[in-house]
Coordinates of all heavy atoms in Angstrom, one line a residue:
K198 N 29.2 11.5 14.3 CA 30.3 11.7 13.3 C 29.8 11.5 11.9 O 30.2 12.1 10.9 CB 31.5 10.8 13.5 CG 32.1 11.1 14.9 CD 33.5 10.6 15.0 CE 34.4 11.3 16.1 NZ 33.6 11.3 17.4
R199 N 28.9 10.5 11.7 CA 28.5 10.2 10.4 C 27.0 10.4 10.3 O 26.2 9.8 11.3 CB 28.9 8.8 9.9 CG 30.3 8.6 9.7 CD 30.8 7.2 9.6 NE 30.5 6.4 10.8 CZ 31.2 6.4 11.9 NH1 32.4 6.9 11.9 NH2 30.9 5.7 13.0
F200 N 26.5 11.0 9.3 CA 25.0 11.5 9.3 C 24.3 10.8 8.1 O 24.9 10.6 7.0 CB 24.8 12.9 9.2 CG 25.1 13.6 10.5 CD1 26.4 13.8 10.9 CD2 24.0 14.1 11.3 CE1 26.7 14.4 12.2 CE2 24.3 14.7 12.6 CZ 25.7 14.8 12.9
G201 N 23.0 10.5 8.2 CA 22.1 10.0 7.1 C 21.0 10.9 7.1 O 20.5 11.6 8.1
L202 N 20.3 10.9 5.9 CA 19.1 11.7 5.8 C 18.1 10.8 5.1 O 18.3 10.1 4.1 CB 19.4 13.0 5.0 CG 18.4 14.1 4.9 CD1 18.2 14.6 6.4 CD2 19.0 15.2 4.1
H203 N 16.8 10.8 5.6 CA 15.8 9.9 5.2 C 14.4 10.6 4.9 O 14.2 11.6 5.6 CB 15.6 8.9 6.4 CG 14.4 8.0 6.2 ND1 13.1 8.4 6.6 CD2 14.1 6.7 5.9 CE1 12.2 7.4 6.5 NE2 12.8 6.5 6.1
A204 N 13.7 10.2 3.9 CA 12.3 10.7 3.8 C 11.5 9.7 3.2 O 12.0 9.0 2.3 CB 12.3 12.1 3.1
F205 N 10.2 9.7 3.5 CA 9.3 8.7 2.8 C 8.1 9.6 2.5 O 7.2 9.9 3.4 CB 8.9 7.7 3.8 CG 8.1 6.5 3.3 CD1 7.8 5.2 3.9 CD2 7.4 6.7 2.1 CE1 7.1 4.3 3.5 CE2 6.6 5.6 1.6 CZ 6.5 4.4 2.3
L206 N 7.9 10.0 1.2 CA 6.8 11.1 0.9 C 5.6 10.5 0.2 O 4.6 11.2 0.1 CB 7.5 12.2 0.2 CG 8.7 12.8 1.0 CD1 9.2 14.1 0.2 CD2 8.3 13.2 2.4
V207 N 5.8 9.4 -0.5 CA 4.6 8.7 -1.3 C 4.7 7.3 -1.1 O 5.8 6.6 -1.1 CB 4.8 9.2 -2.8 CG1 3.7 8.5 -3.7 CG2 4.8 10.7 -3.1
S208 N 3.4 6.8 -1.1 CA 3.4 5.2 -0.9 C 2.8 4.7 -2.3 O 2.0 5.3 -2.9 CB 2.3 5.0 0.2 OG 2.7 4.0 0.9
N209 N 3.3 3.6 -2.6 CA 2.9 2.8 -3.8 C 2.9 3.6 -5.0 O 1.9 3.7 -5.8 CB 1.4 2.3 -3.5 CG 1.1 1.1 -4.5 OD1 2.0 0.6 -5.2 ND2 -0.2 0.7 -4.6
A210 N 4.1 4.3 -5.3 CA 4.2 5.2 -6.4 C 4.6 4.3 -7.7 O 5.4 3.5 -7.7 CB 5.3 6.2 -6.2
L211 N 3.7 4.4 -8.6 CA 3.9 3.6 -9.9 C 4.6 4.3 -10.9 O 4.7 4.0 -12.1 CB 2.6 3.2 -10.4 CG 2.1 1.7 -10.0 CD1 0.8 1.4 -10.6 CD2 3.1 0.7 -10.3
T212 N 5.2 5.5 -10.6 CA 5.9 6.3 -11.6 C 7.5 6.1 -11.3 O 7.9 6.1 -10.2 CB 5.6 7.8 -11.6 OG1 6.6 8.5 -12.2 CG2 5.3 8.3 -10.2
E213 N 8.1 6.1 -12.4 CA 9.6 6.1 -12.4 C 10.2 7.4 -11.8 O 11.4 7.5 -11.5 CB 10.3 5.8 -13.8 CG 10.2 4.3 -14.2 CD 8.9 3.9 -14.8 OE1 8.1 4.8 -15.3 OE2 8.6 2.7 -14.7
L214 N 9.4 8.4 -11.7 CA 9.8 9.8 -11.3 C 9.9 10.0 -9.9 O 10.5 10.9 -9.4 CB 8.9 10.9 -12.0 CG 8.8 10.8 -13.5 CD1 7.8 11.8 -14.0 CD2 10.3 11.0 -14.1
Y215 N 9.2 9.1 -9.0 CA 9.1 9.4 -7.6 C 10.5 9.4 -6.9 O 10.9 10.3 -6.4 CB 8.1 8.4 -6.9 CG 8.3 8.5 -5.4 CD1 8.1 9.7 -4.7 CD2 8.7 7.4 -4.7 CE1 8.3 9.8 -3.3 CE2 8.9 7.5 -3.2 CZ 8.6 8.7 -2.6 OH 8.9 8.7 -1.2
Y216 N 11.2 8.3 -7.1 CA 12.5 8.2 -6.3 C 13.5 9.4 -6.8 O 14.1 9.9 -6.0 CB 13.1 6.8 -6.6 CG 13.1 5.9 -5.4 CD1 12.3 6.2 -4.3 CD2 13.9 4.7 -5.4 CE1 12.3 5.3 -3.2 CE2 13.9 3.8 -4.4 CZ 13.1 4.1 -3.2 OH 13.1 3.3 -2.1
P217 N 13.6 9.6 -8.2 CA 14.5 10.6 -8.6 C 14.1 12.0 -7.9 O 14.9 12.8 -7.5 CB 14.4 10.6 -10.0 CG 14.0 9.3 -10.4 CD 13.1 8.8 -9.2
K218 N 12.8 12.3 -7.9 CA 12.3 13.5 -7.3 C 12.6 13.7 -5.8 O 13.2 14.6 -5.3 CB 10.8 13.7 -7.5 CG 10.2 14.8 -6.9 CD 9.6 15.8 -7.8 CE 9.2 17.1 -7.0 NZ 8.2 17.8 -7.6
L219 N 12.3 12.6 -5.1 CA 12.6 12.5 -3.6 C 14.2 12.6 -3.4 O 14.6 13.3 -2.5 CB 12.2 11.1 -3.1 CG 12.6 10.7 -1.7 CD1 11.9 11.6 -0.6 CD2 12.3 9.3 -1.5
A220 N 14.9 12.0 -4.3 CA 16.4 11.9 -4.1 C 16.8 13.3 -4.3 O 17.6 13.9 -3.5 CB 17.1 11.1 -5.2
A221 N 16.3 14.1 -5.3 CA 16.8 15.4 -5.4 C 16.5 16.4 -4.3 O 17.3 17.1 -3.8 CB 16.2 16.0 -6.8
I222 N 15.3 16.2 -3.7 CA 14.9 16.9 -2.4 C 15.9 16.6 -1.4 O 16.4 17.5 -0.7 CB 13.5 16.5 -2.0 CG1 12.5 17.0 -3.0 CG2 13.2 17.1 -0.6 CD1 11.0 16.6 -2.9
L223 N 16.2 15.3 -1.1 CA 17.1 14.9 -0.1 C 18.5 15.2 -0.4 O 19.3 15.8 0.5 CB 17.0 13.4 0.2 CG 15.8 12.9 0.9 CD1 15.7 11.3 0.8 CD2 15.8 13.4 2.3
F224 N 19.0 15.2 -1.6 CA 20.3 15.6 -2.0 C 20.6 17.1 -1.8 O 21.6 17.5 -1.1 CB 20.6 15.3 -3.4 CG 20.7 13.8 -3.7 CD1 20.6 13.3 -5.1 CD2 20.8 12.8 -2.7 CE1 20.6 12.0 -5.5 CE2 20.8 11.5 -3.1 CZ 20.6 11.1 -4.4
R225 N 19.6 17.9 -2.1 CA 19.7 19.3 -2.0 C 19.8 19.7 -0.5 O 20.6 20.4 0.0 CB 18.6 20.1 -2.6 CG 18.7 20.2 -4.1 CD 17.9 21.2 -4.8 NE 17.9 21.0 -6.2 CZ 17.1 20.2 -6.9 NH1 16.0 19.8 -6.3 NH2 17.3 20.1 -8.1
A226 N 18.9 19.1 0.3 CA 18.9 19.3 1.8 C 20.2 18.9 2.3 O 20.8 19.5 3.2 CB 17.7 18.5 2.4
A227 N 20.8 17.7 1.9 CA 22.1 17.2 2.4 C 23.2 18.2 2.1 O 24.0 18.4 2.9 CB 22.4 15.8 1.7
V228 N 23.2 18.8 0.9 CA 24.3 19.7 0.5 C 24.2 20.9 1.5 O 25.1 21.5 2.1 CB 24.2 20.1 -1.0 CG1 25.1 21.3 -1.2 CG2 24.5 18.9 -1.9
E229 N 22.9 21.5 1.6 CA 22.8 22.5 2.5 C 23.1 22.3 4.0 O 23.9 23.1 4.6 CB 21.2 23.1 2.5 CG 20.7 23.6 1.3 CD 19.2 23.7 1.2 OE1 18.5 23.5 2.3 OE2 18.7 23.9 0.1
L230 N 22.8 21.1 4.4 CA 23.1 20.8 5.8 C 24.6 20.6 6.0 O 25.2 21.1 7.0 CB 22.4 19.4 6.2 CG 20.9 19.5 6.5 CD1 20.2 18.2 6.4 CD2 20.7 20.2 7.8
K231 N 25.3 20.2 5.0 CA 26.7 20.0 5.1 C 27.3 21.4 5.1 O 28.2 21.7 6.0 CB 27.3 19.3 3.8 CG 28.8 19.2 3.9 CD 29.3 18.7 2.5 CE 30.8 19.1 2.3 NZ 31.1 19.3 0.9
N232 N 26.9 22.3 4.3 CA 27.4 23.7 4.3 C 27.1 24.4 5.6 O 27.9 25.2 6.1 CB 26.9 24.4 3.1 CG 27.4 23.9 1.8 OD1 28.4 23.2 1.8 ND2 26.7 24.1 0.7
E233 N 25.9 24.1 6.1 CA 25.5 24.9 7.3 C 26.1 24.4 8.6 O 26.4 25.2 9.4 CB 24.0 24.7 7.6 CG 23.0 25.5 6.5 CD 21.6 25.1 6.6 OE1 21.2 24.3 7.4 OE2 20.8 25.4 5.7
T234 N 26.2 23.0 8.7 CA 26.6 22.5 10.0 C 28.1 21.8 9.9 O 28.6 21.6 11.0 CB 25.7 21.4 10.4 OG1 25.7 20.3 9.5 CG2 24.3 22.0 10.4
G235 N 28.5 21.6 8.7 CA 29.8 20.8 8.6 C 29.7 19.3 8.7 O 30.7 18.6 8.8
A236 N 28.5 18.8 8.9 CA 28.2 17.4 9.2 C 28.6 16.6 8.0 O 28.6 17.0 6.8 CB 26.8 17.1 9.4
H237 N 29.3 15.5 8.3 CA 29.7 14.5 7.2 C 28.5 13.6 7.0 O 28.2 12.7 7.8 CB 30.9 13.7 7.7 CG 31.4 12.8 6.6 ND1 32.2 11.7 6.9 CD2 31.1 12.7 5.2 CE1 32.5 11.0 5.8 NE2 31.9 11.7 4.7
I238 N 27.8 13.8 5.8 CA 26.7 13.0 5.4 C 27.1 11.8 4.6 O 27.8 12.0 3.6 CB 25.6 13.8 4.7 CG1 25.1 14.8 5.7 CG2 24.5 13.0 4.1 CD1 24.3 16.0 5.0
T239 N 27.0 10.6 5.1 CA 27.5 9.4 4.6 C 26.5 8.6 3.7 O 26.8 7.8 2.9 CB 28.3 8.5 5.5 OG1 27.3 8.1 6.5 CG2 29.4 9.2 6.1
F240 N 25.2 8.8 4.1 CA 24.1 8.1 3.3 C 22.8 8.9 3.2 O 22.6 9.7 4.0 CB 23.9 6.7 3.9 CG 23.2 6.6 5.3 CD1 22.0 6.7 5.4 CD2 24.1 6.5 6.4 CE1 21.3 6.6 6.7 CE2 23.5 6.6 7.7 CZ 22.2 6.6 7.8
I241 N 22.2 8.5 2.1 CA 20.9 9.0 2.0 C 19.8 7.9 1.8 O 20.1 7.0 1.0 CB 20.7 9.9 0.6 CG1 21.7 11.1 0.6 CG2 19.2 10.4 0.4 CD1 21.3 12.3 1.4
N242 N 18.9 7.9 2.6 CA 17.9 6.7 2.7 C 16.6 7.1 2.1 O 15.9 8.0 2.5 CB 17.7 6.4 4.1 CG 16.8 5.2 4.4 OD1 16.1 4.7 3.4 ND2 16.9 4.5 5.5
L243 N 16.3 6.6 0.8 CA 15.1 6.9 0.1 C 13.9 6.2 0.5 O 12.8 6.5 0.0 CB 15.3 6.6 -1.4 CG 16.5 7.2 -2.1 CD1 16.7 6.8 -3.6 CD2 16.3 8.8 -2.1

Side-chain angles (χ1 to χ4, degrees):
K198 297 201 159 51
R199 291 170 297 275
F200 288 75
L202 198 59
H203 166 283
F205 188 167
L206 305 184
V207 175
S208 221
N209 202 11
L211 263 183
T212 157
E213 280 84 22
L214 303 176
Y215 167 58
Y216 255 14
K218 170 116 192 210
L219 170 71
I222 291 170
L223 286 170
F224 294 165
R225 285 199 189 94
V228 172
E229 289 167 16
L230 284 163
K231 179 194 158 208
N232 294 337
E233 288 165 10
T234 68
H237 182 202
I238 295 165
T239 58
F240 66 89
I241 300 281
N242 184 344
L243 301 176

